[in-house]
Amino acid sequence: MNNENARLRRLLLFDAVCHEGGISQAAEAVGLTQPAVSLAIKKLEEAFGAVLFERGFGGSDLTRDGQLLHRRVQRMRQQIEAAVSQALSGTRSRATDVQTVCRHLTDAQIRCHIAIAELGSAAEAARRLAISQPAVHRAARSLEDNLGVTLYRRRVHSVSANGVGLELARRLVVAQGEIEQASADLVHARGLAGGRIAVGVLPLLPQRLLARTIGRLRENHPNVAVTIREGAHSRLLEDLRFGRLDIIVGALREPRLQGSVVEIELFIDPYVVVARRGHALAARRKVAPADLVDYGWVVPQQDMPRRAVVETMLATLPERPPVVVETSSLAMMMAMLEENDCISLLSRSHILYGNYRNDVVALKVVAPNADRTVGVTMRSDWLPTQVQQDFLEQLRLQCRMDD
């Protein structure tokens, strides 16, 4: 069995040694020989480049590196058990059943299931994993047999995950992410530069704010790898829940999200009515609502929160002005403003600090229901590495400087 296929088994044996207080005690508890458990721990130490235990006559004590890894392994195990428990809900409910199922999970089952769930077919999963389709199907069937739950929709020429299977995959991805976080914890503990953070960015967030945050972060972590992914809230939230993103930065939703995610406020960033610099309304000390009727509007699409604010404002005008363009593209919206006498609604910070601050201006008119709070969204069960925590602290600091 190669290292990749044996990783889960070794991590769970490591957890057993920690729980039982020694290799011989763990071997007896799990029904393996002492040499087999010792070899698993040795392979795990080689994989992480760390000494995990200080061995003595009374048992095995965790080293500092061992403590860091064990914290993440415990979280991984708890998340796997929670994933299995949810999949079993309504079929089996005893805790002993959950633990039994978890003991029989394999790396191959987990990898193949996640690939099927993410790619939508066993054929695509086989291509990603560079294995045969029959091997993917065998892993999928063995996982279903282990759980006693149907996880897939089977058609004549395709296999895809059903709702239960998709949620199981999401939770397993997050559980696996704990071990990636453990590697970052160990690197930082040794005083080595490194680490990573994946950030989802919603529209209208000032890009300079993130750029400054990353610049300050790199002063203490010069080799940090930062991934920025821009997109709609629904897509970024899905990536966050699947562990593909660590945080989302942007306007918080109303009503506020609860449950599996937590939101932290950063600063108030209200909406303002905008037009190009040089627009007939741009120089006026006061713009009346009736003045806005004479110009076409560029508005976001219906599924965007800003659209609701625009509609509220248009409803307060003496008559509804024409909507010239409806678009989800911020670049297209800005181009329309720059090249025409159109009006739109953007965030105050986007006008003050964005790339277009020299091209558009805020009109001196109050937009109704224009409250907008920018913040950070993260999974409620997320435990950041030191580098990720430093990113959050630096982001808060830069927001206070701009406020």
Side-chain angles (χ1 to χ4, degrees):
M1 182 177 292
N2 61 39
N3 286 338
E4 187 176 2
N5 285 334
R7 187 177 76 159
L8 177 61
R9 175 175 173 271
R10 290 168 183 162
L11 290 169
L12 294 178
L13 286 176
F14 167 72
D15 186 53
V17 174
C18 296
H19 183 266
E20 300 295 334
I23 289 178
S24 60
Q25 298 94 316
E28 182 178 353
V30 300
L32 294 175
T33 65
Q34 184 173 335
V37 177
S38 295
L39 180 60
I41 299 302
K42 179 182 177 182
K43 293 293 185 182
L44 202 60
E45 289 180 327
E46 291 174 353
F48 284 99
V51 176
L52 302 176
F53 292 105
E54 293 176 346
R55 298 169 180 83
F57 292 107
S60 301
D61 295 324
L62 284 167
T63 62
R64 180 193 62 174
D65 286 351
Q67 291 172 355
L68 291 173
L69 178 60
H70 188 224
R71 177 181 65 166
R72 293 293 183 178
V73 170
Q74 283 182 305
R75 289 172 56 83
M76 178 203 73
R77 177 178 54 76
Q78 292 164 359
Q79 289 165 353
I80 290 176
E81 289 176 354
V84 170
S85 179
Q86 182 172 3
L88 296 178
S89 61
T91 57
R92 308 186 224 176
S93 59
R94 292 180 301 164
T96 51
D97 284 333
V98 171
Q99 294 169 1
T100 299
V101 169
C102 291
R103 282 198 297 270
H104 289 88
L105 285 176
T106 68
D107 291 275
Q109 290 174 351
I110 293 175
R111 284 200 319 275
C112 290
H113 178 67
I114 290 172
I116 292 173
E118 290 185 340
L119 300 175
S121 78
E124 291 299 322
R127 275 190 279 272
R128 171 193 280 185
L129 300 174
I131 60 177
S132 68
Q133 283 193 53
V136 172
H137 285 290
R138 282 195 301 271
R141 283 194 299 270
S142 67
L143 180 60
E144 282 187 322
D145 291 342
N146 185 15
L147 271 70
V149 175
T150 300
L151 301 173
Y152 307 101
R153 299 185 184 93
R154 290 182 170 84
R155 297 179 177 85
V156 177
H157 298 295
S158 67
V159 173
S160 60
N162 60 21
V164 175
L166 288 171
E167 181 60 17
L168 176 65
R170 182 192 73 79
R171 287 173 169 263
L172 291 175
V173 169
V174 172
Q176 286 187 325
E178 292 294 339
I179 306 308
E180 296 179 14
Q181 296 284 79
S183 297
D185 289 339
L186 293 172
V187 167
H188 183 268
R190 296 166 193 157
L192 302 176
R196 64 153 192 89
I197 182 165
V199 183
V201 179
L202 291 170
L204 301 189
L205 184 77
Q207 296 175 342
R208 289 173 176 267
L209 173 63
L210 276 184
R212 287 201 309 270
T213 299
I214 295 169
R216 301 295 84 75
L217 180 71
R218 285 176 54 83
E219 292 175 2
N220 294 324
H221 306 283
N223 294 325
V224 64
V226 181
T227 299
I228 303 293
R229 186 176 304 161
E230 298 182 81
H233 184 266
S234 59
R235 180 58 185 273
L236 294 182
L237 188 61
E238 179 184 7
D239 286 342
L240 180 75
R241 294 181 69 247
F242 265 88
R244 294 187 284 265
L245 291 175
D246 297 308
I247 62 173
I248 299 172
V249 185
L252 301 182
R253 285 317 192 245
E254 297 292 347
R256 295 296 171 80
L257 302 177
Q258 297 179 345
S260 62
V261 299
V262 61
E263 297 177 322
I264 299 175
E265 295 184 3
L266 292 175
F267 62 96
I268 304 299
D269 187 22
Y271 290 115
V272 292
V273 181
V274 299
R276 65 175 176 83
R277 193 176 295 277
H279 191 283
L281 300 179
R284 292 194 185 182
R285 293 186 176 182
K286 184 177 181 180
V287 176
D291 296 329
L292 303 177
V293 174
D294 298 329
Y295 302 93
W297 281 66
V298 182
V299 302
Q301 292 182 325
Q302 290 285 354
D303 58 347
M304 302 180 72
R306 191 159 35 104
R307 178 60 178 267
V309 181
V310 171
E311 291 296 334
T312 299
M313 181 158 199
L314 296 185
T316 66
L317 301 182
E319 60 182 275
R320 185 180 177 88
V323 171
V324 178
V325 171
E326 178 180 329
T327 178
S328 61
S329 168
L330 185 59
M332 187 67 230
M333 178 174 289
M334 299 306 300
M336 286 297 300
L337 293 177
E338 293 168 27
E339 298 296 331
N340 301 276
D341 280 337
C342 294
I343 296 174
S344 190
L345 197 76
L346 294 172
S347 70
R348 181 181 64 184
S349 66
H350 189 79
I351 301 305
L352 293 177
Y353 309 113
N355 294 336
Y356 303 97
R357 63 191 183 280
N358 295 323
D359 302 314
V360 295
V361 296
L363 302 182
K364 295 178 177 60
V365 60
V366 177
N369 298 326
D371 293 342
R372 179 176 182 268
T373 302
V374 172
V376 175
T377 304
M378 62 192 77
R379 295 190 308 277
S380 56
D381 61 357
W382 183 54
L383 178 63
T385 64
Q386 187 60 55
V387 171
Q388 292 163 348
Q389 186 62 46
D390 289 350
F391 178 90
L392 289 173
E393 292 300 324
Q394 192 58 239
L395 180 61
R396 292 190 186 98
L397 176 61
Q398 296 303 319
C399 288
R400 287 197 297 270
M401 293 173 64
D402 273 350
D403 198 6

